[in-house]
Amino acid sequence: MLRVLTVTNYFAGLGGVESIVRGHHEHDAAQGIDSRFIAYWEPPPPGWPRATALDLRENNSIAEARRRFANSFPDFAPEVAVYHTDWGWPFFASLDGAARRILYLHSDTPGLDRKLARVAHWADGFVCVSDKLAERVRTHLPGLSADRVLKVDAAIDAPELPMRNEAPAGRPLVLGFCGRVVNEQKRVNRFPELVQRLDALGVAYRIEFLGDGPERAWLEAQLPDQAKFVFHGRRSGADYWRIVTGWDAIVFVSDYEGTPLAELEAMAVGVLPLHPRLDSGGDHYAGSVDSRLVYPPGDLAALAERIRWISGLAGEEWNTLRTRSRAAMSAHLGDDYRRKFTEFVRRIASLPTLEKQPLPRWYFPKDRLTFGMIRRLSEWRR
């Protein structure tokens, strides 16, 4: 079996990246991969064999963090390391023990070009969730051969559930938000303004929040009407799918996204996506259903108008859009993603290593710097 080390920021969290990583934990062995998993910023997840976490904090020194990384799986010798984050390479890549490294890009995050300018020269292959991200990689490595870049359609394990087949006429439109309830990236602080605009337009609606996070208490205080705003918290399994299937549309008010797994899962059961125009996989899929489901980023007036538009659609129009939404997910269903990913990792393992820039070396006293110090130094330089 091919030995693979997977490195990520979080393993047990609510995000789409975590769902994809946990999917690898569940299915890698069936694909002929012997895998181990290390997460940075959380405690070791209980009940997950072959997975651990470093429980990092900003007051940890580089030396301490490197000791935790090195002690995670001391007897495991990976042939390939797959990093689901561009963070951490300078500190840990020299310890992973892998001859080949792959960078998995999930999102066009702020400052990505600045990070790629360095990290791209430490990798042997790249997995990208959109063509746009693959283009970004090639701008930094113009001579990179096509066989070292994989554009993926992430796997969705959606159950065979019936779509809603009635138009919302005569009842509130059910809108859903799914993910981390945070302001960073997800901008949940925009929902109170969106609610005011929907009320001004006279739209009958209910918004359901599926997920948890540090801004949940604040958001519940801003939206106290329990008949119009439902906070489900974190759900999984059949309970998760029951809630999502009851939505008419899933709403994103984010500053940046890649291809949100929550969007793909909702579309797989016929939910319409409303997504800002971020030049990412998320707005590509929304636009493939109908161009009017994509709105200018941050423009809540435009989003409210689009919600009013779908609330007035007749039954036949609703079913047409729901069918398109579900059909757009056909490439994400089944084992196609896992097969392509495994073939790619095996190919990278068999190819010669790329010429790389040297990794940083950490000696005393530099390794006594904490991550908080490094962050403040980086902010001061920028």
Side-chain angles (χ1 to χ4, degrees), residues 338-352:
R338 297 184 185 101
R339 177 183 57 79
K340 289 180 179 178
F341 178 85
T342 302
E343 289 174 354
F344 179 73
V345 175
R346 289 189 179 281
R347 181 165 71 245
I348 294 300
S350 68
L351 289 171

Side-chain angles (χ1 to χ4, degrees), residues 88-103:
W89 288 57
F91 313 116
F92 306 114
S94 63
L95 301 174
D96 61 31
R100 314 283 191 285
R101 298 185 185 96
I102 293 172
L103 175 60

Side-chain angles (χ1 to χ4, degrees), residues 60-67 87-95 118 122 358-371 373-375 377-378 381:
N60 290 134
S61 70
I62 297 169
E64 171 61 23
R66 282 169 59 83
R67 278 194 292 272
W87 188 88
W89 288 57
F91 313 116
F92 306 114
S94 63
L95 301 174
R118 191 178 196 191
W122 294 331
L359 288 162
R361 305 177 73 179
W362 299 100
Y363 295 119
F364 179 84
K366 190 170 68 169
D367 65 349
R368 293 326 192 250
L369 290 171
T370 67
F371 293 116
M373 293 175 185
I374 292 171
R375 176 182 55 79
L377 281 170
S378 298
R381 286 170 181 165

Side-chain angles (χ1 to χ4, degrees), residues 28-307:
D28 275 356
Q31 299 292 326
I33 294 178
D34 180 14
S35 55
R36 302 292 186 275
F37 298 80
I38 298 176
Y40 294 138
W41 299 103
E42 63 187 0
W48 292 90
R50 300 178 291 109
T52 190
L54 307 185
D55 197 15
L56 296 182
R57 300 288 189 273
E58 281 213 329
N59 61 355
N60 290 134
S61 70
I62 297 169
E64 171 61 23
R66 282 169 59 83
R67 278 194 292 272
R68 294 182 191 182
F69 191 100
N71 292 333
S72 293
F73 298 106
D75 299 323
F76 184 68
E79 299 163 79
V80 179
V82 179
Y83 285 78
H84 287 256
T85 171
D86 53 58
W87 188 88
W89 288 57
F91 313 116
F92 306 114
S94 63
L95 301 174
D96 61 31
R100 314 283 191 285
R101 298 185 185 96
I102 293 172
L103 175 60
Y104 198 132
L105 291 170
H106 293 269
S107 184
D108 191 357
T109 56
L112 180 61
D113 277 316
R114 176 176 49 81
K115 297 170 186 174
L116 280 177
R118 191 178 196 191
V119 178
H121 297 280
W122 294 331
D124 297 282
F126 301 84
V127 179
C128 305
V129 301
S130 69
D131 292 323
K132 184 69 176 179
L133 284 171
E135 291 173 13
R136 300 283 289 278
V137 169
R138 292 189 180 98
T139 62
H140 293 276
L141 296 171
L144 190 68
S145 60
D147 58 356
R148 292 186 182 268
V149 180
L150 175 68
K151 189 267 179 182
V152 294
D153 298 309
I156 302 172
D157 293 316
E160 289 292 330
L161 295 173
M163 293 188 301
R164 301 189 75 160
N165 58 10
E166 87 282 4
R171 64 165 175 83
L173 184 73
V174 184
L175 305 171
F177 167 88
C178 182
R180 291 169 291 117
V181 186
V182 295
N183 291 333
E184 167 68 25
Q185 180 187 7
K186 298 300 181 181
R187 292 302 303 272
V188 297
N189 55 315
R190 286 175 169 155
F191 274 101
E193 180 185 342
L194 176 61
V195 163
Q196 293 173 2
R197 292 185 179 277
L198 290 175
D199 290 342
L201 292 174
V203 177
Y205 64 89
R206 183 172 76 250
I207 304 179
E208 300 188 1
F209 297 89
L210 182 52
D212 211 341
E215 302 302 329
R216 176 177 171 179
W218 175 86
L219 193 59
E220 286 192 74
Q222 300 298 310
L223 307 175
D225 187 346
Q226 296 182 12
K228 294 177 69 173
F229 309 108
V230 180
F231 290 83
H232 292 289
R234 182 173 182 170
R235 302 295 181 92
S236 61
D239 206 19
Y240 169 90
W241 289 107
R242 176 187 58 80
I243 293 168
V244 173
T245 307
W247 295 346
D248 295 303
I250 183 169
V251 178
F252 293 86
V253 291
S254 317
D255 278 338
Y256 58 92
E257 288 285 355
T259 305
L261 195 66
E263 177 187 31
L264 305 184
E265 290 175 336
M267 291 177 67
V269 292
V271 177
L272 304 188
L274 288 155
H275 199 285
R277 187 178 296 107
L278 300 175
D279 199 14
S280 68
D283 48 336
H284 165 76
Y285 279 118
S288 72
V289 179
D290 192 290
S291 61
R292 289 167 289 184
L293 295 173
V294 181
Y295 68 95
D299 190 342
L300 300 183
L303 175 57
E305 287 290 351
R306 282 154 173 77
I307 292 171

